[in-house]
Amino acid sequence: MNLGMFHDWVIWKDSQGYFLDDAFSKFVTAFDQDFDRITFCGRVAYPEVKKGREYPLDPHKHRVCPFPYYPSIYSLYAKAPIILPHMVRMFRKNLDQWDLVWLPAPHPFGVLAACLCRQKQKPFFFLVRQNLTEQVRHRCRGVNRTVSVFMVRLIELLSQRVAAKTLIFTVGQEMFIQYRRKHPLVFPVVISLVSERDLALAGSFEKPRRRADSPIRLLSIGRLDPEKGLTYLIRALDDLFRREGRKVSLTIIGKGHEEPFLRQYVQERGLLEKVQFLGYVRHGLELFDHYRNHDLFILPSLTGEGLPQTILEAMAFRIPVIATAVEGIPYVVRDRINGMLIPPADSRALGQAVCTLADDEALRNRITEGGFKTAASHTLEGEKEKMMNQIRRFLLQP
């Protein structure tokens, strides 16, 4: 049995084969045990210089359906008349080889691919990972925002129409409620990269204790984009240092379009010695060490989140989580039980949460243990199997 899977990612090609730089691919490849082969559909790029092959594809289990390269989904909208026909042609060429198709929503090609599946009577399902409309609101400005929001809403309506009578998986309770209004076969899922092996490894880690006179080590991981709210985190760091007199440092892991602006913002506030940008760190031992060697994990997102994978990773490695109460996050992070919730775009509340956790060891310990139990209840294997149970029930019936 073969699975075809489209996601709006870049598939890199070098002399050794294909690889991805999106950790979400680890969740997809967990389905290797359920399918004979998985075909990854996506835009292919050929790197001149790249530090490493983050997530290589296995040529024995994986195939690639190559699409023309485009820099981002926004450029796909702009060049749709040129690029989409090529994507449709390649998808149609491979469609007969697949027994099931996995598509993203809302996405312009996801709609076209679903229509092709309907024509061929090929079973397919959608995965909705985020509130794309709200994400676009924060990324775009002026006329571009108006046009982009209109396009996303249109594609979302088309996605919901073409998804009638098929499975839809949603990340986060908010998107589940939104899609369940019109569709009966909608199921919530958590995208977790915390494997059972990772949990065992986390249990063997001895977390270094912070001395009273050492800085509070803050950690934030994710894309460096406007909707991630990192300017509020940097502002909170500034207040903790200058107003509260706290010893504090911040490590930011990730890459994105906003990185030059954030670096400039840090420099203007005189925080170069307090903030470290590490770029992208591959999911694995190196990333786990960063969780282990920091005191608090901060996710200051403004919107657009289903449930970020990094929350469960931080919980698994027993680092207390401070996160904004947006979209799917409050349905998993429970205030003062397995994390701390704060309002979005509120640097003062963020700083107060840092101080509270730094000063209250009993609260820290309670949140840490609560977080670990939450991560253990949402492992990669468990969440993958929840999806497969519904897929077998509704799409792969004999």
Side-chain angles (χ1 to χ4, degrees):
M1 187 165 59
N2 298 326
L3 172 69
M5 194 272 180
F6 169 70
H7 181 67
D8 193 49
W9 48 25
V10 177
I11 301 175
W12 299 93
K13 177 73 164 64
D14 62 13
S15 59
Q16 299 179 58
Y18 292 100
F19 64 98
L20 297 154
D21 58 5
D22 187 337
F24 173 57
S25 63
K26 291 176 68 70
F27 186 79
V28 178
T29 55
F31 289 78
D32 282 347
Q33 61 184 288
D34 301 288
F35 296 92
D36 299 313
R37 185 175 70 224
I38 299 177
T39 299
F40 291 79
C41 303
R43 44 191 160 132
V44 175
Y46 301 84
E48 295 182 4
V49 178
K50 200 156 174 57
K51 291 182 179 179
R53 309 179 80 251
E54 287 90 347
Y55 309 103
L57 297 182
D58 181 351
H60 301 291
K61 292 288 293 185
H62 307 140
R63 298 290 185 272
V64 170
C65 174
F67 290 163
Y69 177 76
Y70 50 92
S72 69
I73 190 171
Y74 302 103
S75 61
L76 176 60
Y77 285 125
K79 299 180 180 180
I82 300 173
I83 296 176
L84 284 178
H86 292 278
M87 296 171 69
V88 168
R89 185 163 56 251
M90 289 302 301
F91 188 84
R92 183 184 283 126
K93 181 179 178 181
N94 287 269
L95 185 55
D96 288 336
Q97 304 173 23
W98 305 325
D99 302 287
L100 178 68
V101 180
W102 177 344
L103 299 171
H107 191 282
F109 184 74
V111 173
L112 291 174
C115 292
L116 293 174
C117 290
R118 287 271 187 229
Q119 290 177 2
K120 291 280 188 176
Q121 296 184 323
K122 190 73 64 175
F124 68 94
F125 65 90
F126 279 121
L127 175 66
V128 183
R129 294 183 63 193
Q130 58 202 359
N131 187 333
L132 190 58
T133 300
E134 289 303 313
Q135 188 179 100
V136 167
R137 285 185 193 278
H138 283 82
R139 286 196 187 187
C140 301
R141 296 289 182 270
V143 176
N144 285 339
R145 174 191 287 177
T146 303
V147 173
S148 297
V149 168
F150 171 78
M151 290 297 298
V152 168
R153 283 182 171 175
L154 175 61
I155 291 166
E156 191 164 57
L157 289 173
L158 292 172
S159 298
Q160 292 187 3
R161 175 166 294 187
V162 79
K165 298 181 181 180
T166 194
L167 273 177
I168 302 175
F169 293 102
T170 60
V171 180
Q173 193 72 9
E174 184 188 41
M175 301 311 295
F176 168 73
I177 293 171
Q178 179 177 323
Y179 276 78
R180 192 60 182 267
R181 291 172 186 156
K182 298 182 179 180
H183 299 279
L185 300 182
V186 181
F187 298 92
V189 66
V190 172
I191 302 299
S192 172
L193 301 186
V194 178
S195 68
E196 293 171 0
R197 182 180 178 182
D198 294 337
L199 277 177
L201 180 64
S204 69
F205 273 178
E206 182 179 350
K207 191 170 179 62
R209 292 182 63 88
R210 185 178 70 88
R211 300 197 317 268
D213 60 342
S214 62
I216 307 168
R217 298 163 299 182
L218 309 181
L219 175 66
S220 187
I221 302 175
R223 297 189 316 275
L224 307 188
D225 289 325
E227 70 272 14
K228 294 298 182 179
L230 287 168
T231 53
Y232 296 95
L233 174 54
I234 294 168
R235 196 177 303 165
L237 179 80
D238 195 4
D239 289 342
L240 286 168
F241 173 56
R242 302 189 193 282
R243 294 185 183 180
E244 303 290 336
R246 297 274 184 162
K247 293 182 178 179
V248 63
S249 66
L250 170 62
T251 300
I252 297 175
I253 293 177
K255 60 182 181 180
H257 300 296
E258 203 177 34
E259 182 174 349
F261 167 78
L262 291 172
R263 287 182 176 274
Q264 182 66 28
Y265 193 66
V266 167
Q267 182 175 358
E268 290 172 356
R269 287 182 168 263
L271 297 172
L272 288 176
E273 295 182 0
K274 303 291 182 184
V275 181
Q276 185 179 23
F277 291 87
L278 294 186
Y280 182 80
V281 176
R282 186 184 188 277
H283 187 273
L285 292 177
E286 183 182 355
L287 184 65
F288 299 161
D289 272 339
H290 287 295
Y291 285 118
R292 186 172 68 93
N293 292 316
H294 285 81
D295 302 303
L296 300 174
F297 178 77
I298 316 289
L299 195 79
S301 300
L302 304 178
T303 189
E305 302 285 0
L307 177 69
Q309 297 153 189
T310 52
I311 284 183
L312 293 175
E313 293 168 15
M315 288 177 168
F317 286 90
R318 289 186 165 90
I319 172 173
V321 170
I322 299 173
T324 47
V326 296
E327 303 198 20
I329 293 174
Y331 294 95
V332 173
V333 179
R334 301 172 63 193
D335 192 37
R336 293 178 177 262
I337 295 176
N338 62 0
M340 287 194 72
L341 291 173
I342 59 172
D346 192 336
S347 57
R348 181 62 61 87
L350 200 164
Q352 289 173 348
V354 169
C355 292
T356 298
L357 280 175
D359 297 339
D360 192 335
E361 184 177 4
L363 177 61
R364 266 199 327 272
N365 291 339
R366 183 168 75 245
I367 284 176
T368 297
E369 290 309 308
F372 184 81
K373 291 178 181 177
T374 300
S377 67
H378 295 289
T379 63
L380 184 155
E381 293 86 353
E383 294 302 317
K384 186 272 299 184
E385 195 56 33
K386 289 177 186 176
M387 287 183 64
M388 278 307 305
N389 286 341
Q390 302 301 339
I391 289 169
R392 294 187 190 102
R393 180 183 177 188
F394 293 104
L395 297 179
L396 297 179
Q397 295 176 341

